[in-house]
């Protein structure tokens, strides 16, 4: 099956720093990538949808200036958490899909962010 | 706005029992429905995907059904094993402002004791 990787898997940073998380589709071209956030014992909440070559579409309540998403190629999307604060500590998961409808999304293993 | 609800939130059973996890969704205009497994601190493992035109899918000891008109799905796990202990997430692909997206329920945390 299709493989999606995320890097790093773990990151600990000081409050105020920016953190970049990479999401890569390893064996297919992802026309669409998604970023989710999951707080402890909560479900995955969609943050934004990213189509290659265009600006990301953010869900209501997600600050686009704080969570910068770049989808520069068909195999790479990045999420940058700018000026991270402790409340940004969470599990961030990306997924990738080829197509624009009901095709299967393939999920990355997630990145755990801890902001001190 | 699509909302997905899963019942129960948690379930504990002895090994060998058959069990059913429930999922409901508010908007029946879905492309598909998926069941995922998530182990603590880990990513998602896709278990079953049911297209909107299908009624059920089976994989090993797992069987998932879909009744789109009533907005319900069930995941049936036969002969449960301690290794089945995990959180099971139900998600539907629905249209949104960006095209389509997966909307998740909060999950059912299953504990199977030996």
């Amino acid at each position: 099956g299709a493989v999606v990787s995320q890097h790093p898997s773990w990151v600990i940073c000081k409050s105020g720093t920016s953190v970049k998380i990479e999401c890569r589709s390893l064996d297919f071209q992802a026309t669409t990538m998604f970023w989710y956030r999951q707080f402890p014992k909560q479900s995955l909440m969609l943050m934004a949808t990213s189509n290659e070559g265009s600006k990301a579409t953010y869900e209501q309540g997600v600050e686009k200036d704080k969570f910068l998403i770049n989808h520069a190629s068909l195999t790479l999307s990045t999420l940058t958490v700018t000026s991270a604060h402790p409340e940004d500590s969470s599990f961030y998961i990306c997924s990738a899909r080829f197509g624009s409808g009901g095709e299967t999304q393939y999920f990355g293993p997630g990145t755990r962010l801890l902001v001190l | 706005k699509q909302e997905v609800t899963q019942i129960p939130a948690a379930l504990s059973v002895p090994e060998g029992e058959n069990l059913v996890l429930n999922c409901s969704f508010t908007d029946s205009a879905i492309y598909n429905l998926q069941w995922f497994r998530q182990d603590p601190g880990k990513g998602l493992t896709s278990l079953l995907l049911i297209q909107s035109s299908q009624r059920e899918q089976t994989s090993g000891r797992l069987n998932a059904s879909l009744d789109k008109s009533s907005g319900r799905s069930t995941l049936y796990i036969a002969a449960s094993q301690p290794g089945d202990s995990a959180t099971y997430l139900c998600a539907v692909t629905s249209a949104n402002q960006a095209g389509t997206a997966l909307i998740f329920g909060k999950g059912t945390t299953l504990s199977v004791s030996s």
Side-chain angles (χ1 to χ4, degrees):
Chain A
V3 178
V4 175
S5 69
Q6 278 184 244
H7 178 79
S9 56
W10 258 102
V11 58
I12 302 173
C13 69
K14 293 182 179 179
S15 184
T17 60
S18 294
V19 176
K20 180 184 284 188
I21 302 170
E22 293 185 348
C23 177
R24 293 182 184 272
S25 57
L26 299 184
D27 50 3
F28 69 103
Q29 293 185 325
T31 52
T32 306
M33 287 185 167
F34 303 85
W35 287 96
Y36 294 84
R37 179 169 55 185
Q38 185 179 34
F39 291 109
K41 299 189 178 181
Q42 297 293 314
S43 189
L44 278 74
M45 298 299 296
L46 180 64
M47 299 175 66
T49 302
S50 170
N51 292 302
E52 186 267 339
S54 60
K55 290 183 178 180
T57 301
Y58 290 80
E59 295 299 302
Q60 191 173 8
V62 178
E63 301 175 57
K64 59 181 66 178
D65 292 332
K66 180 166 185 63
F67 298 99
L68 301 179
I69 291 173
N70 182 276
H71 190 169
S73 76
L74 285 171
T75 59
L76 174 64
S77 176
T78 60
L79 167 67
T80 301
V81 184
T82 61
S83 187
H85 288 94
E87 59 265 31
D88 298 324
S89 299
S90 187
F91 192 50
Y92 292 86
I93 303 178
C94 75
S95 69
R97 180 184 72 195
F98 176 76
S100 58
E103 292 84 357
T104 301
Q105 288 184 34
Y106 298 94
F107 284 81
T111 295
R112 188 161 300 282
L113 170 64
L114 177 61
V115 185
L116 302 176
Chain B
K1 180 182 177 184
Q2 179 73 268
E3 293 184 3
V4 180
T5 303
Q6 290 187 245
I7 295 174
L11 181 63
S12 292
V13 300
E15 183 177 7
E17 271 204 12
N18 303 324
L19 55 101
V20 175
L21 308 181
N22 297 291
C23 172
S24 61
F25 45 96
T26 55
D27 186 350
S28 62
I30 64 171
Y31 287 80
N32 57 48
L33 181 144
Q34 281 186 263
W35 283 93
F36 294 88
R37 169 184 173 138
Q38 186 176 31
D39 292 289
K42 302 294 184 181
L44 303 181
T45 299
S46 180
L47 299 174
L48 291 164
L49 182 150
I50 311 176
Q51 298 291 352
S52 62
S53 58
Q54 298 174 324
R55 298 282 292 182
E56 67 176 340
Q57 283 288 333
T58 298
S59 176
R61 293 181 294 108
L62 305 179
N63 175 274
S65 68
L66 173 63
D67 184 342
K68 199 174 76 164
S69 61
S70 67
R72 296 182 185 276
S73 174
T74 60
L75 177 66
Y76 176 82
I77 302 177
S80 59
Q81 302 171 358
D84 294 331
S85 298
T87 296
Y88 291 81
L89 296 168
C90 168
V92 296
T93 300
S94 296
N96 74 347
Q97 57 181 333
T100 60
L102 267 174
I103 307 299
F104 284 82
K106 291 186 177 181
T108 294
T109 299
L110 172 66
S111 176
V112 181
S113 56
S114 56

